Amino acid sequence: MIKVSPSLLSADFSDLKTDLAKLAQAGADYVHMDIMDGHFVNNITFGYDQLKMMKKVCDIPFDTHLMIENPDKYIEKFAESSDIITVHAEACIHLDRTIQLIHSCGCKAGVALCPSTDENVLKYVIDKIDLALVMSVNPGFGGQSFIESVVPKITRIKEMLGGRDCLIEVDGGINAKTAKTVVDAGANLLVAGSYVFGGDIKERIDSLREVK
Ligand code: DX5
Ligand code: ZN
């Protein structure tokens, strides 16, 4: 079963409440929250206070993607409104400890890898994570083109998991065509921003689920 996590990055920032309601009506499995700090990536989005306000008007689980330096400092705050918190391996000096911290705050723990990062950074934490996020664009902005060279990484992570139940999420440049490629490689959770918000939201979400 393929799950879809539309990225709010492509929503109307002047009317997020309306777009959240549209996602709920369209049956989104998660809302993908792209948190950017202007340091780890060259862009700034929103923070935990905005997330908390959105949670009050939205029942869909929040899939929070932290593209920030020093994530440990903020995990407790983001955990108040998130179901999954994903940190970047490249931003964590003590990745194992950060995963423990996310779990201790009551959230599922994900680890994201930039396109150039080797999947082997997951080797010694593979049994502890609930989600592996394979970035198929360089993080920072929506609307970029899918980077094809990450596809074998998805399959290798699936092999590393050895049949264990774990989300394999792919983020960046996902549309009906690239969705098929990544699902065939082993992905089971798809993030899409510009594709989902660039047309009829329900039709677009359904089209991603139906690639399998
Ligand atoms: C990029 C973000 C993505 C982005 C995806 O740094 O992590 O979640 O919103 O946008 P699209 O689907 O437009 O590539
Ligand atoms: Zn993201």
Side-chain angles (χ1 to χ4, degrees), residues 5-10 32-36 41 43 65 67 88 133 135-146 169-175 191-196:
S5 188
S7 168
L8 215 60
L9 199 57
S10 297
H32 186 81
M33 298 292 188
D34 284 308
I35 310 296
M36 305 186 186
V41 290
N43 193 4
H65 177 193
M67 285 162 276
H88 267 266
L133 170 50
M135 291 300 301
S136 41
V137 296
N138 288 293
F141 303 93
Q144 302 180 76
S145 302
F146 181 78
E169 181 174 47
V170 181
D171 181 6
I174 295 296
N175 52 42
V191 176
S194 40
Y195 179 67
V196 165

PDB file of all heavy atoms in Angstrom, residues 5-10 32-36 41 43 65 67 88 133 135-146 169-175 191-196, ligand 1:
ATOM      1  N   SER A   5       2.232  11.774   1.131  1.00  0.00           N
ATOM      2  CA  SER A   5       2.450  12.853   2.093  1.00  0.00           C
ATOM      3  C   SER A   5       2.666  14.159   1.318  1.00  0.00           C
ATOM      4  O   SER A   5       3.792  14.504   0.970  1.00  0.00           O
ATOM      5  CB  SER A   5       3.693  12.490   2.929  1.00  0.00           C
ATOM      6  OG  SER A   5       3.898  13.361   3.994  1.00  0.00           O
ATOM      7  N   PRO A   6       1.581  14.867   1.004  1.00  0.00           N
ATOM      8  CA  PRO A   6       1.735  16.099   0.226  1.00  0.00           C
ATOM      9  C   PRO A   6       2.552  17.143   1.002  1.00  0.00           C
ATOM     10  O   PRO A   6       2.360  17.307   2.210  1.00  0.00           O
ATOM     11  CB  PRO A   6       0.298  16.580   0.024  1.00  0.00           C
ATOM     12  CG  PRO A   6      -0.545  15.361   0.202  1.00  0.00           C
ATOM     13  CD  PRO A   6       0.159  14.559   1.246  1.00  0.00           C
ATOM     14  N   SER A   7       3.441  17.822   0.296  1.00  0.00           N
ATOM     15  CA  SER A   7       4.274  18.836   0.955  1.00  0.00           C
ATOM     16  C   SER A   7       3.568  20.176   0.968  1.00  0.00           C
ATOM     17  O   SER A   7       3.195  20.713  -0.071  1.00  0.00           O
ATOM     18  CB  SER A   7       5.606  18.979   0.226  1.00  0.00           C
ATOM     19  OG  SER A   7       6.254  20.144   0.697  1.00  0.00           O
ATOM     20  N   LEU A   8       3.452  20.731   2.161  1.00  0.00           N
ATOM     21  CA  LEU A   8       2.781  22.020   2.335  1.00  0.00           C
ATOM     22  C   LEU A   8       3.583  23.175   1.727  1.00  0.00           C
ATOM     23  O   LEU A   8       3.065  24.276   1.584  1.00  0.00           O
ATOM     24  CB  LEU A   8       2.558  22.262   3.837  1.00  0.00           C
ATOM     25  CG  LEU A   8       1.280  23.000   4.211  1.00  0.00           C
ATOM     26  CD1 LEU A   8       0.040  22.259   3.763  1.00  0.00           C
ATOM     27  CD2 LEU A   8       1.227  23.260   5.709  1.00  0.00           C
ATOM     28  N   LEU A   9       4.823  22.888   1.353  1.00  0.00           N
ATOM     29  CA  LEU A   9       5.669  23.920   0.757  1.00  0.00           C
ATOM     30  C   LEU A   9       5.040  24.527  -0.499  1.00  0.00           C
ATOM     31  O   LEU A   9       5.285  25.679  -0.827  1.00  0.00           O
ATOM     32  CB  LEU A   9       7.031  23.288   0.403  1.00  0.00           C
ATOM     33  CG  LEU A   9       8.223  24.199   0.182  1.00  0.00           C
ATOM     34  CD1 LEU A   9       8.486  25.064   1.394  1.00  0.00           C
ATOM     35  CD2 LEU A   9       9.466  23.371  -0.135  1.00  0.00           C
ATOM     36  N   SER A  10       4.204  23.748  -1.185  1.00  0.00           N
ATOM     37  CA  SER A  10       3.584  24.254  -2.411  1.00  0.00           C
ATOM     38  C   SER A  10       2.167  24.773  -2.170  1.00  0.00           C
ATOM     39  O   SER A  10       1.455  25.095  -3.122  1.00  0.00           O
ATOM     40  CB  SER A  10       3.530  23.142  -3.472  1.00  0.00           C
ATOM     41  OG  SER A  10       4.825  22.748  -3.814  1.00  0.00           O
ATOM     42  N   HIS A  32       3.272  16.625   4.805  1.00  0.00           N
ATOM     43  CA  HIS A  32       4.731  16.744   4.879  1.00  0.00           C
ATOM     44  C   HIS A  32       5.086  18.194   5.191  1.00  0.00           C
ATOM     45  O   HIS A  32       4.766  19.113   4.430  1.00  0.00           O
ATOM     46  CB  HIS A  32       5.332  16.311   3.544  1.00  0.00           C
ATOM     47  CG  HIS A  32       6.820  16.243   3.538  1.00  0.00           C
ATOM     48  ND1 HIS A  32       7.519  15.168   4.048  1.00  0.00           N
ATOM     49  CD2 HIS A  32       7.758  17.111   3.072  1.00  0.00           C
ATOM     50  CE1 HIS A  32       8.813  15.369   3.896  1.00  0.00           C
ATOM     51  NE2 HIS A  32       8.985  16.547   3.308  1.00  0.00           N
ATOM     52  N   MET A  33       5.731  18.401   6.341  1.00  0.00           N
ATOM     53  CA  MET A  33       6.060  19.742   6.807  1.00  0.00           C
ATOM     54  C   MET A  33       7.547  20.001   6.603  1.00  0.00           C
ATOM     55  O   MET A  33       8.385  19.415   7.304  1.00  0.00           O
ATOM     56  CB  MET A  33       5.717  19.860   8.296  1.00  0.00           C
ATOM     57  CG  MET A  33       4.243  19.664   8.606  1.00  0.00           C
ATOM     58  SD  MET A  33       3.317  21.063   7.911  1.00  0.00           S
ATOM     59  CE  MET A  33       1.689  20.735   8.606  1.00  0.00           C
ATOM     60  N   ASP A  34       7.872  20.846   5.656  1.00  0.00           N
ATOM     61  CA  ASP A  34       9.274  21.143   5.348  1.00  0.00           C
ATOM     62  C   ASP A  34       9.762  22.304   6.194  1.00  0.00           C
ATOM     63  O   ASP A  34       9.390  23.455   5.962  1.00  0.00           O
ATOM     64  CB  ASP A  34       9.406  21.477   3.854  1.00  0.00           C
ATOM     65  CG  ASP A  34       9.343  20.236   3.001  1.00  0.00           C
ATOM     66  OD1 ASP A  34      10.101  19.286   3.273  1.00  0.00           O
ATOM     67  OD2 ASP A  34       8.522  20.206   2.056  1.00  0.00           O
ATOM     68  N   ILE A  35      10.615  21.983   7.160  1.00  0.00           N
ATOM     69  CA  ILE A  35      11.122  23.010   8.073  1.00  0.00           C
ATOM     70  C   ILE A  35      12.552  23.377   7.659  1.00  0.00           C
ATOM     71  O   ILE A  35      13.447  22.524   7.679  1.00  0.00           O
ATOM     72  CB  ILE A  35      11.127  22.498   9.539  1.00  0.00           C
ATOM     73  CG1 ILE A  35       9.767  21.875   9.919  1.00  0.00           C
ATOM     74  CG2 ILE A  35      11.533  23.610  10.490  1.00  0.00           C
ATOM     75  CD1 ILE A  35       8.594  22.826   9.915  1.00  0.00           C
ATOM     76  N   MET A  36      12.739  24.638   7.280  1.00  0.00           N
ATOM     77  CA  MET A  36      14.043  25.091   6.769  1.00  0.00           C
ATOM     78  C   MET A  36      14.514  26.300   7.571  1.00  0.00           C
ATOM     79  O   MET A  36      13.714  27.188   7.870  1.00  0.00           O
ATOM     80  CB  MET A  36      13.906  25.474   5.298  1.00  0.00           C
ATOM     81  CG  MET A  36      13.316  24.365   4.436  1.00  0.00           C
ATOM     82  SD  MET A  36      13.361  24.836   2.711  1.00  0.00           S
ATOM     83  CE  MET A  36      12.457  23.460   1.978  1.00  0.00           C
ATOM     84  N   VAL A  41      19.829  24.585   4.832  1.00  0.00           N
ATOM     85  CA  VAL A  41      19.439  24.861   3.436  1.00  0.00           C
ATOM     86  C   VAL A  41      19.272  26.368   3.284  1.00  0.00           C
ATOM     87  O   VAL A  41      19.066  27.082   4.271  1.00  0.00           O
ATOM     88  CB  VAL A  41      18.110  24.151   3.048  1.00  0.00           C
ATOM     89  CG1 VAL A  41      18.292  22.662   2.952  1.00  0.00           C
ATOM     90  CG2 VAL A  41      16.996  24.503   4.011  1.00  0.00           C
ATOM     91  N   ASN A  43      17.030  28.445   2.577  1.00  0.00           N
ATOM     92  CA  ASN A  43      15.636  28.891   2.510  1.00  0.00           C
ATOM     93  C   ASN A  43      15.077  28.838   3.932  1.00  0.00           C
ATOM     94  O   ASN A  43      15.604  28.096   4.771  1.00  0.00           O
ATOM     95  CB  ASN A  43      14.849  27.941   1.587  1.00  0.00           C
ATOM     96  CG  ASN A  43      13.489  28.470   1.193  1.00  0.00           C
ATOM     97  OD1 ASN A  43      13.109  29.596   1.533  1.00  0.00           O
ATOM     98  ND2 ASN A  43      12.731  27.655   0.470  1.00  0.00           N
ATOM     99  N   HIS A  65       9.769  17.187   8.339  1.00  0.00           N
ATOM    100  CA  HIS A  65      11.091  17.017   7.725  1.00  0.00           C
ATOM    101  C   HIS A  65      11.961  18.204   8.140  1.00  0.00           C
ATOM    102  O   HIS A  65      11.792  19.315   7.629  1.00  0.00           O
ATOM    103  CB  HIS A  65      10.890  16.958   6.195  1.00  0.00           C
ATOM    104  CG  HIS A  65      12.141  16.855   5.405  1.00  0.00           C
ATOM    105  ND1 HIS A  65      12.161  17.047   4.035  1.00  0.00           N
ATOM    106  CD2 HIS A  65      13.415  16.564   5.758  1.00  0.00           C
ATOM    107  CE1 HIS A  65      13.394  16.876   3.582  1.00  0.00           C
ATOM    108  NE2 HIS A  65      14.177  16.599   4.616  1.00  0.00           N
ATOM    109  N   MET A  67      14.962  20.299   7.982  1.00  0.00           N
ATOM    110  CA  MET A  67      16.167  20.663   7.220  1.00  0.00           C
ATOM    111  C   MET A  67      16.825  21.799   7.977  1.00  0.00           C
ATOM    112  O   MET A  67      16.855  22.950   7.519  1.00  0.00           O
ATOM    113  CB  MET A  67      15.765  21.061   5.792  1.00  0.00           C
ATOM    114  CG  MET A  67      15.393  19.865   4.935  1.00  0.00           C
ATOM    115  SD  MET A  67      14.456  20.335   3.478  1.00  0.00           S
ATOM    116  CE  MET A  67      12.826  20.397   4.200  1.00  0.00           C
ATOM    117  N   HIS A  88      18.123  15.155   9.160  1.00  0.00           N
ATOM    118  CA  HIS A  88      19.115  14.819   8.138  1.00  0.00           C
ATOM    119  C   HIS A  88      20.345  14.208   8.779  1.00  0.00           C
ATOM    120  O   HIS A  88      20.889  14.765   9.733  1.00  0.00           O
ATOM    121  CB  HIS A  88      19.500  16.072   7.341  1.00  0.00           C
ATOM    122  CG  HIS A  88      18.667  16.206   6.120  1.00  0.00           C
ATOM    123  ND1 HIS A  88      19.071  15.726   4.894  1.00  0.00           N
ATOM    124  CD2 HIS A  88      17.419  16.698   5.953  1.00  0.00           C
ATOM    125  CE1 HIS A  88      18.114  15.940   4.014  1.00  0.00           C
ATOM    126  NE2 HIS A  88      17.100  16.524   4.623  1.00  0.00           N
ATOM    127  N   LEU A 133      14.311   8.507   4.636  1.00  0.00           N
ATOM    128  CA  LEU A 133      13.879   9.472   3.614  1.00  0.00           C
ATOM    129  C   LEU A 133      14.990   9.668   2.592  1.00  0.00           C
ATOM    130  O   LEU A 133      16.070  10.191   2.908  1.00  0.00           O
ATOM    131  CB  LEU A 133      13.516  10.814   4.283  1.00  0.00           C
ATOM    132  CG  LEU A 133      13.268  12.023   3.384  1.00  0.00           C
ATOM    133  CD1 LEU A 133      12.293  11.723   2.264  1.00  0.00           C
ATOM    134  CD2 LEU A 133      12.733  13.183   4.203  1.00  0.00           C
ATOM    135  N   MET A 135      16.194  11.672  -0.380  1.00  0.00           N
ATOM    136  CA  MET A 135      15.943  12.923  -1.102  1.00  0.00           C
ATOM    137  C   MET A 135      16.293  12.724  -2.577  1.00  0.00           C
ATOM    138  O   MET A 135      17.401  12.292  -2.916  1.00  0.00           O
ATOM    139  CB  MET A 135      16.815  14.060  -0.541  1.00  0.00           C
ATOM    140  CG  MET A 135      16.459  14.534   0.843  1.00  0.00           C
ATOM    141  SD  MET A 135      14.778  15.176   1.016  1.00  0.00           S
ATOM    142  CE  MET A 135      14.759  16.518  -0.182  1.00  0.00           C
ATOM    143  N   SER A 136      15.322  13.068  -3.438  1.00  0.00           N
ATOM    144  CA  SER A 136      15.561  12.932  -4.866  1.00  0.00           C
ATOM    145  C   SER A 136      15.730  14.304  -5.523  1.00  0.00           C
ATOM    146  O   SER A 136      15.680  14.419  -6.752  1.00  0.00           O
ATOM    147  CB  SER A 136      14.442  12.123  -5.514  1.00  0.00           C
ATOM    148  OG  SER A 136      13.196  12.490  -4.998  1.00  0.00           O
ATOM    149  N   VAL A 137      15.918  15.332  -4.685  1.00  0.00           N
ATOM    150  CA  VAL A 137      16.422  16.642  -5.124  1.00  0.00           C
ATOM    151  C   VAL A 137      17.332  17.115  -3.991  1.00  0.00           C
ATOM    152  O   VAL A 137      17.273  16.568  -2.882  1.00  0.00           O
ATOM    153  CB  VAL A 137      15.300  17.704  -5.328  1.00  0.00           C
ATOM    154  CG1 VAL A 137      14.357  17.309  -6.448  1.00  0.00           C
ATOM    155  CG2 VAL A 137      14.537  17.986  -4.034  1.00  0.00           C
ATOM    156  N   ASN A 138      18.155  18.110  -4.266  1.00  0.00           N
ATOM    157  CA  ASN A 138      18.922  18.709  -3.176  1.00  0.00           C
ATOM    158  C   ASN A 138      17.956  19.560  -2.358  1.00  0.00           C
ATOM    159  O   ASN A 138      17.224  20.389  -2.911  1.00  0.00           O
ATOM    160  CB  ASN A 138      20.073  19.556  -3.734  1.00  0.00           C
ATOM    161  CG  ASN A 138      21.154  18.667  -4.312  1.00  0.00           C
ATOM    162  OD1 ASN A 138      21.825  17.943  -3.582  1.00  0.00           O
ATOM    163  ND2 ASN A 138      21.294  18.680  -5.629  1.00  0.00           N
ATOM    164  N   PRO A 139      17.902  19.340  -1.028  1.00  0.00           N
ATOM    165  CA  PRO A 139      16.873  19.993  -0.231  1.00  0.00           C
ATOM    166  C   PRO A 139      16.969  21.520  -0.259  1.00  0.00           C
ATOM    167  O   PRO A 139      18.044  22.070  -0.443  1.00  0.00           O
ATOM    168  CB  PRO A 139      17.120  19.453   1.179  1.00  0.00           C
ATOM    169  CG  PRO A 139      18.495  18.897   1.177  1.00  0.00           C
ATOM    170  CD  PRO A 139      18.779  18.474  -0.228  1.00  0.00           C
ATOM    171  N   GLY A 140      15.824  22.160  -0.098  1.00  0.00           N
ATOM    172  CA  GLY A 140      15.794  23.620  -0.022  1.00  0.00           C
ATOM    173  C   GLY A 140      14.605  24.238  -0.727  1.00  0.00           C
ATOM    174  O   GLY A 140      14.055  25.222  -0.248  1.00  0.00           O
ATOM    175  N   PHE A 141      14.205  23.639  -1.842  1.00  0.00           N
ATOM    176  CA  PHE A 141      13.150  24.264  -2.642  1.00  0.00           C
ATOM    177  C   PHE A 141      12.229  23.229  -3.274  1.00  0.00           C
ATOM    178  O   PHE A 141      12.671  22.117  -3.577  1.00  0.00           O
ATOM    179  CB  PHE A 141      13.766  25.117  -3.758  1.00  0.00           C
ATOM    180  CG  PHE A 141      14.685  26.175  -3.235  1.00  0.00           C
ATOM    181  CD1 PHE A 141      16.045  25.935  -3.120  1.00  0.00           C
ATOM    182  CD2 PHE A 141      14.181  27.401  -2.810  1.00  0.00           C
ATOM    183  CE1 PHE A 141      16.904  26.896  -2.597  1.00  0.00           C
ATOM    184  CE2 PHE A 141      15.017  28.372  -2.288  1.00  0.00           C
ATOM    185  CZ  PHE A 141      16.387  28.121  -2.172  1.00  0.00           C
ATOM    186  N   GLY A 142      10.992  23.624  -3.480  1.00  0.00           N
ATOM    187  CA  GLY A 142      10.057  22.789  -4.222  1.00  0.00           C
ATOM    188  C   GLY A 142      10.259  23.004  -5.712  1.00  0.00           C
ATOM    189  O   GLY A 142      10.978  23.919  -6.137  1.00  0.00           O
ATOM    190  N   GLY A 143       9.642  22.162  -6.504  1.00  0.00           N
ATOM    191  CA  GLY A 143       9.615  22.362  -7.950  1.00  0.00           C
ATOM    192  C   GLY A 143      10.897  22.030  -8.696  1.00  0.00           C
ATOM    193  O   GLY A 143      11.070  22.444  -9.841  1.00  0.00           O
ATOM    194  N   GLN A 144      11.814  21.282  -8.078  1.00  0.00           N
ATOM    195  CA  GLN A 144      13.058  20.910  -8.769  1.00  0.00           C
ATOM    196  C   GLN A 144      12.870  19.582  -9.521  1.00  0.00           C
ATOM    197  O   GLN A 144      11.929  18.839  -9.260  1.00  0.00           O
ATOM    198  CB  GLN A 144      14.195  20.749  -7.763  1.00  0.00           C
ATOM    199  CG  GLN A 144      14.489  21.981  -6.924  1.00  0.00           C
ATOM    200  CD  GLN A 144      15.648  21.718  -5.957  1.00  0.00           C
ATOM    201  OE1 GLN A 144      16.812  21.687  -6.340  1.00  0.00           O
ATOM    202  NE2 GLN A 144      15.319  21.532  -4.679  1.00  0.00           N
ATOM    203  N   SER A 145      13.823  19.303 -10.416  1.00  0.00           N
ATOM    204  CA  SER A 145      13.724  18.060 -11.200  1.00  0.00           C
ATOM    205  C   SER A 145      14.270  16.871 -10.422  1.00  0.00           C
ATOM    206  O   SER A 145      15.291  16.973  -9.735  1.00  0.00           O
ATOM    207  CB  SER A 145      14.512  18.175 -12.501  1.00  0.00           C
ATOM    208  OG  SER A 145      14.032  19.256 -13.224  1.00  0.00           O
ATOM    209  N   PHE A 146      13.603  15.763 -10.579  1.00  0.00           N
ATOM    210  CA  PHE A 146      13.962  14.480  -9.971  1.00  0.00           C
ATOM    211  C   PHE A 146      15.376  14.063 -10.380  1.00  0.00           C
ATOM    212  O   PHE A 146      15.721  14.096 -11.560  1.00  0.00           O
ATOM    213  CB  PHE A 146      12.930  13.450 -10.452  1.00  0.00           C
ATOM    214  CG  PHE A 146      13.110  12.071  -9.924  1.00  0.00           C
ATOM    215  CD1 PHE A 146      12.707  11.748  -8.638  1.00  0.00           C
ATOM    216  CD2 PHE A 146      13.669  11.072 -10.723  1.00  0.00           C
ATOM    217  CE1 PHE A 146      12.864  10.457  -8.157  1.00  0.00           C
ATOM    218  CE2 PHE A 146      13.827   9.787 -10.245  1.00  0.00           C
ATOM    219  CZ  PHE A 146      13.417   9.487  -8.954  1.00  0.00           C
ATOM    220  N   GLU A 169      10.580   6.626   2.337  1.00  0.00           N
ATOM    221  CA  GLU A 169       9.954   7.831   1.779  1.00  0.00           C
ATOM    222  C   GLU A 169      10.883   8.450   0.736  1.00  0.00           C
ATOM    223  O   GLU A 169      12.103   8.479   0.926  1.00  0.00           O
ATOM    224  CB  GLU A 169       9.711   8.826   2.933  1.00  0.00           C
ATOM    225  CG  GLU A 169       9.041  10.121   2.551  1.00  0.00           C
ATOM    226  CD  GLU A 169       8.704  10.976   3.780  1.00  0.00           C
ATOM    227  OE1 GLU A 169       9.577  11.145   4.651  1.00  0.00           O
ATOM    228  OE2 GLU A 169       7.568  11.480   3.868  1.00  0.00           O
ATOM    229  N   VAL A 170      10.296   8.948  -0.333  1.00  0.00           N
ATOM    230  CA  VAL A 170      11.091   9.642  -1.352  1.00  0.00           C
ATOM    231  C   VAL A 170      10.500  11.033  -1.537  1.00  0.00           C
ATOM    232  O   VAL A 170       9.277  11.218  -1.575  1.00  0.00           O
ATOM    233  CB  VAL A 170      11.137   8.861  -2.682  1.00  0.00           C
ATOM    234  CG1 VAL A 170      11.997   9.597  -3.712  1.00  0.00           C
ATOM    235  CG2 VAL A 170      11.717   7.464  -2.456  1.00  0.00           C
ATOM    236  N   ASP A 171      11.398  12.026  -1.620  1.00  0.00           N
ATOM    237  CA  ASP A 171      10.987  13.437  -1.586  1.00  0.00           C
ATOM    238  C   ASP A 171      11.763  14.237  -2.621  1.00  0.00           C
ATOM    239  O   ASP A 171      12.993  14.301  -2.567  1.00  0.00           O
ATOM    240  CB  ASP A 171      11.271  13.955  -0.157  1.00  0.00           C
ATOM    241  CG  ASP A 171      10.883  15.410   0.054  1.00  0.00           C
ATOM    242  OD1 ASP A 171      10.295  16.013  -0.853  1.00  0.00           O
ATOM    243  OD2 ASP A 171      11.184  15.920   1.150  1.00  0.00           O
ATOM    244  N   GLY A 172      11.010  14.850  -3.556  1.00  0.00           N
ATOM    245  CA  GLY A 172      11.615  15.753  -4.529  1.00  0.00           C
ATOM    246  C   GLY A 172      11.347  15.335  -5.958  1.00  0.00           C
ATOM    247  O   GLY A 172      11.717  14.242  -6.374  1.00  0.00           O
ATOM    248  N   GLY A 173      10.632  16.199  -6.684  1.00  0.00           N
ATOM    249  CA  GLY A 173      10.373  15.935  -8.098  1.00  0.00           C
ATOM    250  C   GLY A 173       9.465  14.753  -8.352  1.00  0.00           C
ATOM    251  O   GLY A 173       9.532  14.127  -9.418  1.00  0.00           O
ATOM    252  N   ILE A 174       8.595  14.446  -7.386  1.00  0.00           N
ATOM    253  CA  ILE A 174       7.699  13.290  -7.560  1.00  0.00           C
ATOM    254  C   ILE A 174       6.427  13.701  -8.318  1.00  0.00           C
ATOM    255  O   ILE A 174       5.738  14.659  -7.958  1.00  0.00           O
ATOM    256  CB  ILE A 174       7.333  12.660  -6.180  1.00  0.00           C
ATOM    257  CG1 ILE A 174       8.581  12.071  -5.503  1.00  0.00           C
ATOM    258  CG2 ILE A 174       6.236  11.598  -6.343  1.00  0.00           C
ATOM    259  CD1 ILE A 174       9.243  10.907  -6.233  1.00  0.00           C
ATOM    260  N   ASN A 175       6.150  12.948  -9.374  1.00  0.00           N
ATOM    261  CA  ASN A 175       4.901  13.078 -10.132  1.00  0.00           C
ATOM    262  C   ASN A 175       4.502  11.646 -10.502  1.00  0.00           C
ATOM    263  O   ASN A 175       5.163  10.688 -10.071  1.00  0.00           O
ATOM    264  CB  ASN A 175       5.090  13.959 -11.378  1.00  0.00           C
ATOM    265  CG  ASN A 175       6.267  13.501 -12.231  1.00  0.00           C
ATOM    266  OD1 ASN A 175       6.462  12.302 -12.439  1.00  0.00           O
ATOM    267  ND2 ASN A 175       7.056  14.432 -12.731  1.00  0.00           N
ATOM    268  N   VAL A 191       6.371  11.811  -1.132  1.00  0.00           N
ATOM    269  CA  VAL A 191       6.152  13.235  -0.862  1.00  0.00           C
ATOM    270  C   VAL A 191       5.975  13.920  -2.211  1.00  0.00           C
ATOM    271  O   VAL A 191       6.721  13.629  -3.146  1.00  0.00           O
ATOM    272  CB  VAL A 191       7.383  13.854  -0.146  1.00  0.00           C
ATOM    273  CG1 VAL A 191       7.187  15.356   0.053  1.00  0.00           C
ATOM    274  CG2 VAL A 191       7.643  13.155   1.177  1.00  0.00           C
ATOM    275  N   ALA A 192       4.999  14.790  -2.304  1.00  0.00           N
ATOM    276  CA  ALA A 192       4.884  15.578  -3.530  1.00  0.00           C
ATOM    277  C   ALA A 192       4.281  16.922  -3.192  1.00  0.00           C
ATOM    278  O   ALA A 192       3.265  17.004  -2.494  1.00  0.00           O
ATOM    279  CB  ALA A 192       4.021  14.854  -4.564  1.00  0.00           C
ATOM    280  N   GLY A 193       4.940  17.979  -3.658  1.00  0.00           N
ATOM    281  CA  GLY A 193       4.474  19.342  -3.415  1.00  0.00           C
ATOM    282  C   GLY A 193       3.869  19.928  -4.663  1.00  0.00           C
ATOM    283  O   GLY A 193       2.644  20.032  -4.806  1.00  0.00           O
ATOM    284  N   SER A 194       4.724  20.285  -5.617  1.00  0.00           N
ATOM    285  CA  SER A 194       4.205  20.975  -6.805  1.00  0.00           C
ATOM    286  C   SER A 194       3.252  20.097  -7.610  1.00  0.00           C
ATOM    287  O   SER A 194       2.286  20.600  -8.180  1.00  0.00           O
ATOM    288  CB  SER A 194       5.340  21.492  -7.678  1.00  0.00           C
ATOM    289  OG  SER A 194       6.391  20.591  -7.745  1.00  0.00           O
ATOM    290  N   TYR A 195       3.477  18.794  -7.614  1.00  0.00           N
ATOM    291  CA  TYR A 195       2.565  17.925  -8.373  1.00  0.00           C
ATOM    292  C   TYR A 195       1.171  17.901  -7.740  1.00  0.00           C
ATOM    293  O   TYR A 195       0.162  18.105  -8.435  1.00  0.00           O
ATOM    294  CB  TYR A 195       3.138  16.503  -8.456  1.00  0.00           C
ATOM    295  CG  TYR A 195       2.243  15.542  -9.198  1.00  0.00           C
ATOM    296  CD1 TYR A 195       2.021  15.687 -10.565  1.00  0.00           C
ATOM    297  CD2 TYR A 195       1.604  14.499  -8.529  1.00  0.00           C
ATOM    298  CE1 TYR A 195       1.177  14.820 -11.249  1.00  0.00           C
ATOM    299  CE2 TYR A 195       0.763  13.630  -9.211  1.00  0.00           C
ATOM    300  CZ  TYR A 195       0.546  13.790 -10.571  1.00  0.00           C
ATOM    301  OH  TYR A 195      -0.285  12.935 -11.235  1.00  0.00           O
ATOM    302  N   VAL A 196       1.096  17.712  -6.429  1.00  0.00           N
ATOM    303  CA  VAL A 196      -0.221  17.611  -5.761  1.00  0.00           C
ATOM    304  C   VAL A 196      -0.983  18.945  -5.833  1.00  0.00           C
ATOM    305  O   VAL A 196      -2.182  18.973  -6.136  1.00  0.00           O
ATOM    306  CB  VAL A 196      -0.067  17.142  -4.295  1.00  0.00           C
ATOM    307  CG1 VAL A 196      -1.350  17.385  -3.503  1.00  0.00           C
ATOM    308  CG2 VAL A 196       0.291  15.660  -4.249  1.00  0.00           C
TER     309      VAL A 196
HETATM  310  C1  DX5 B   1      12.608  20.046  -0.732  1.00  0.00           C
HETATM  311  C2  DX5 B   1      11.513  19.558   0.164  1.00  0.00           C
HETATM  312  C3  DX5 B   1      10.414  18.868  -0.528  1.00  0.00           C
HETATM  313  C4  DX5 B   1       9.687  19.704  -1.542  1.00  0.00           C
HETATM  314  C5  DX5 B   1       9.178  18.797  -2.601  1.00  0.00           C
HETATM  315  O1  DX5 B   1      13.662  20.501   0.052  1.00  0.00           O
HETATM  316  O2  DX5 B   1      12.036  18.667   1.128  1.00  0.00           O
HETATM  317  O3  DX5 B   1       9.516  18.285   0.385  1.00  0.00           O
HETATM  318  O4  DX5 B   1       8.622  20.420  -1.016  1.00  0.00           O
HETATM  319  O5  DX5 B   1       8.647  19.580  -3.585  1.00  0.00           O
HETATM  320  P1  DX5 B   1       8.347  19.014  -5.033  1.00  0.00           P
HETATM  321  O6  DX5 B   1       7.398  17.873  -4.869  1.00  0.00           O
HETATM  322  O7  DX5 B   1       7.759  20.184  -5.719  1.00  0.00           O
HETATM  323  O8  DX5 B   1       9.671  18.588  -5.604  1.00  0.00           O
END
